[in-house]
Amino acid sequence: MTAEAHPKQDKVPGVEARAGKFPGPSLIPMLKEIQDRCGWLPREELEALARRQRRPLYEIEGLITFYPHFRTEPPTGVTVGVCHDLTCWLTGADERIERLHEQYDGTSDVEVTEVSCPGRCDIAPAATVDDRPGRVDDVAEFVEQRRTGGTELGATVAYAPPSGWPNDPYTRRDEHYGTLRALLSGAIAPETVIAELKDSGLRGMGGAGFPTGKKWEIVRAQDAGVKYAICNADESEPGTFKDRQLLAEQPHLVLEGMLMGMVVAGAEEGTVFIRHEYGPEEEVLHAEIRHLHDIGLLGDDVLGSGYRLSLDIFTSPGGYILGEETALIECMEGHRGEPRNKPPFPGVYGLWGKPTLMNSVETFADVPIIASRGASWWAEQGTNGSGGLKFFAVSGHVEHPGVYCVPMGTTIRELLDLAGGVAGGSGLHAVQPGGASSDFLGPEHLDVPMDFGTLAEAGSMLGSGAMVVIAEGTDALAAATNVLRFFRNESCGKCVPCRAGSTKAHDLLTDTLHNGGELDDARKARLRELEMVMRKTSICGLGQVAMGPVVSVLNREEPGARS
């Protein structure tokens, strides 16, 4: 998909400063090809790219300095990355990083760096060796393999129960894509799919929670000759890895739901936008897309239905901000991944200015069973007044970190029990029920059902579907500071409140921790003020929620105190 293929659009808020400035295809896949071939981005390669594409070198420099995956210096040999974000920090990352530095600082061919959460919180503290994921304990073995020319990407893991995941309507591989086939043949009408999704109450499972059926209806209603679909597989929030498992274990459901969305909305081209740290899972997707070609479900006239359907994969060049839908689109179009002001929303003005259907991995994976068994069946799967099923990633101080699929409305206590309880039999200090951006809840909230409304009433949110468990004896303020550190590092910098506010708050907190860990009233007031300003004035959700975990710790210390 290139810019030349699309007519020039009217300028809209958020893109007017650069719209049409650099016409041409996205340079990001080209930069990725250079780095894959060279191991980094040599200056002469960048100059040659600028000449070939007739693009200014400063545009290219602007891209490679924004995206953390691009390297502007040659690697020293093997690159070891270690995560220091919340779950890994809780499980001893600081000490392990120090030991790795001691082990490799005297070598000339191994570089030890700190990386942002690679989505392997179930094996915390997690590491990568030239992007191959593993435990910190695996580093020495992986380094030796790389020294001898090993190119292993790593293996996926399975968490499905013996009976299979309950959201899968199929028992055999030859049954896969049965609901899509029914839609293509006319046995199920597009309007029926939308109605079932709306009646089911399915909401976006990536964090925003927008009603899925309504989103599909909006894109279908747009009068446009070209539309697109995107699967947002860029989950990058600390503690979050349930989409990773769906890609590894249920690629058929993810892609079937996406293809159904394309048929319903009228899109011919779909793209799975996946984070580069998910190399093993990306290989699974490539294999499944090849299988779809083999069975005739991708092509110019799929099964004689008249529908043209194509799927591609876009590998992220890195950055948590790309999980925000408009920043993701900016990246795909070849720009810095900075969120757009909204409205307009992607369903009206998305990729290349065209209506774009975008859902998360879990949302698409839920579509086939809802469309085939109906909204009533889906509603019956929930509990405690909720409907449907929900995948959760559980990590931190638990006996059995992993991915669990439970009825929506399952309580925090019940999910914690499924994960074996707090590690070592310790007492519970707090949980983040919805990933790093969700506010901490204490033991008094153990019986809160996990759903959008109930968690919001309790003072947190369902968020990214990631429960991080923190045992008694943990410094809650230090944990919240670790979370804020992540958001400070991952801020795209576009808006001042997020960029400056997160830095000021983190500086204040680290200074406090270094000097005894007690916040005086003036500092508490300043933190609350920063949280209010960031929440009300930041462009996107990153800045709006970054300070929430910190303030939730203050609120637990001072019951009744709210900003």
Side-chain angles (χ1 to χ4, degrees):
M1 292 178 287
T2 65
E4 289 94 335
H6 313 294
K8 186 176 180 180
Q9 300 293 308
D10 294 334
K11 295 177 181 179
V12 299
V15 302
E16 68 278 355
R18 57 80 181 156
K21 195 172 184 181
F22 304 122
S26 171
L27 299 178
I28 291 174
M30 303 178 198
L31 291 169
K32 182 179 182 298
E33 184 278 326
I34 294 172
Q35 181 154 298
D36 288 345
R37 173 165 45 86
C38 302
W40 65 297
L41 297 173
R43 177 79 177 189
E44 58 271 20
E45 290 278 353
L46 301 180
E47 291 174 348
L49 177 64
R51 288 192 296 271
R52 286 197 305 273
Q53 297 298 322
R54 298 179 181 274
R55 309 280 275 276
L57 190 59
Y58 69 82
E59 178 197 359
I60 298 174
E61 293 285 353
L63 291 176
I64 64 178
T65 54
F66 182 87
Y67 293 110
H69 187 50
F70 291 138
R71 302 187 65 131
T72 57
E73 298 290 337
T76 57
V78 181
T79 301
V80 176
V82 187
C83 177
H84 179 263
D85 292 323
L86 184 59
T87 295
C88 291
W89 177 79
L90 290 171
T91 50
D94 284 350
E95 178 186 349
R96 304 308 295 275
I97 292 171
E98 184 177 343
R99 285 164 56 182
L100 282 172
H101 276 296
E102 292 173 355
Q103 181 177 353
Y104 290 111
D105 276 356
T107 63
S108 60
D109 65 339
V110 178
E111 177 187 10
V112 177
T113 64
E114 187 183 314
V115 296
S116 186
C117 176
R120 309 287 166 176
C121 315
D122 47 337
I123 56 172
T128 60
V129 177
D130 286 346
D131 285 337
R132 178 183 177 182
R135 303 175 188 272
V136 169
D137 291 340
D138 298 329
V139 166
E141 176 188 349
F142 289 179
V143 166
E144 289 307 311
Q145 291 176 3
R146 289 293 295 162
R147 281 170 165 167
T148 57
T151 58
E152 175 65 41
L153 280 175
T156 60
V157 298
Y159 285 113
S163 58
W165 292 115
N167 69 320
D168 194 338
Y170 308 117
T171 57
R172 304 191 315 270
R173 182 172 172 81
D174 61 0
E175 296 175 341
H176 290 182
Y177 302 100
T179 314
L180 172 63
R181 292 175 186 273
L183 178 62
L184 289 168
S185 70
I188 299 177
E191 294 81 4
T192 301
V193 174
I194 289 177
E196 292 289 356
L197 291 177
K198 293 174 75 173
D199 291 345
S200 73
L202 180 67
R203 296 169 66 173
M205 296 299 183
F210 189 83
T212 304
K214 181 64 175 176
K215 178 180 283 190
W216 287 31
E217 185 176 58
I218 289 170
V219 182
R220 179 175 172 81
Q222 300 306 305
D223 184 15
V226 176
K227 299 177 184 178
Y228 297 109
I230 299 172
C231 177
N232 186 343
D234 194 57
E235 63 171 359
S236 304
E237 190 164 302
T240 311
F241 53 95
K242 47 93 177 175
D243 282 357
R244 183 200 78 195
Q245 282 312 111
L246 291 170
L247 296 171
E249 299 190 61
Q250 296 188 330
H252 59 289
L253 294 185
V254 177
L255 297 184
E256 181 176 24
M258 185 177 181
L259 288 166
M260 290 178 66
M262 293 167 63
V263 172
V264 169
E268 294 184 343
E269 297 183 28
T271 303
V272 180
F273 186 100
I274 189 169
R275 60 183 307 193
H276 70 84
E277 293 93 341
Y278 283 1
E281 292 74 26
E282 183 175 338
E283 285 301 302
V284 172
L285 281 180
H286 279 297
E288 190 67 19
I289 290 174
R290 289 193 295 270
H291 174 65
L292 282 166
H293 279 288
D294 291 342
I295 62 177
L297 286 175
L298 291 178
D300 291 335
D301 182 16
V302 174
L303 302 182
S305 64
Y307 288 102
R308 175 183 173 269
L309 298 173
S310 69
L311 288 178
D312 198 4
I313 296 175
F314 190 106
T315 306
S316 167
Y320 168 72
I321 192 62
L322 300 185
E324 198 280 332
E325 58 184 2
T326 61
L328 184 155
I329 289 171
E330 288 290 293
C331 176
M332 286 186 63
E333 291 185 2
H335 305 287
R336 292 162 68 95
E338 298 175 343
R340 300 174 179 174
N341 291 317
K342 293 183 286 189
F345 294 90
V348 176
Y349 186 102
L351 184 65
W352 304 117
K354 298 297 184 179
T356 301
L357 178 67
M358 189 186 307
N359 281 125
S360 72
V361 169
E362 184 180 357
T363 308
F364 276 133
D366 286 338
V367 168
I369 201 165
I370 293 173
S372 62
R373 296 188 183 176
S376 296
W377 179 90
W378 181 255
E380 293 168 358
Q381 306 312 302
T383 187
N384 292 322
S386 300
L389 299 166
K390 183 73 185 84
F391 282 84
F392 285 96
V394 184
S395 66
H397 292 144
V398 291
E399 289 288 350
H400 305 301
V403 175
Y404 299 86
C405 184
V406 297
M408 184 74 93
T410 295
T411 66
I412 295 173
R413 184 190 306 275
E414 290 166 337
L415 183 57
L416 179 58
D417 287 344
L418 275 178
V422 182
S426 298
L428 176 69
H429 179 68
V431 299
Q432 280 190 302
S437 58
S438 62
D439 292 359
F440 290 99
L441 298 177
E444 68 275 14
H445 293 106
L446 275 170
D447 294 315
V448 171
M450 301 185 76
D451 200 348
F452 291 97
T454 50
L455 283 173
E457 290 172 5
S460 191
M461 63 179 177
L462 190 66
S464 60
M467 188 169 84
V468 181
V469 177
I470 301 176
E472 283 184 344
T474 305
D475 185 334
L477 190 63
T481 303
N482 179 279
V483 173
L484 179 59
R485 171 183 170 275
F486 170 82
F487 289 122
R488 179 205 63 181
N489 292 348
E490 294 295 331
S491 172
C492 76
K494 179 176 181 177
C495 60
V496 174
C498 177
R499 181 181 71 242
S502 60
T503 299
K504 285 180 178 292
H506 186 263
D507 289 346
L508 187 155
L509 286 164
T510 52
D511 181 69
T512 298
L513 292 172
H514 290 157
N515 290 283
E518 291 294 330
L519 283 167
D520 59 28
D521 290 343
R523 290 193 169 197
K524 289 177 182 178
R526 176 54 61 88
L527 288 170
R528 293 183 186 280
E529 180 183 31
L530 287 168
E531 187 277 334
M532 182 271 292
V533 172
M534 289 173 63
R535 172 165 42 85
K536 291 186 175 183
T537 62
S538 294
I539 291 173
C540 82
L542 190 157
Q544 293 162 12
V545 303
M547 286 287 293
V550 172
V551 172
S552 71
V553 170
L554 301 184
N555 289 341
R556 291 190 63 208
E557 294 175 350
E558 303 172 20
R562 295 283 174 182
S563 57

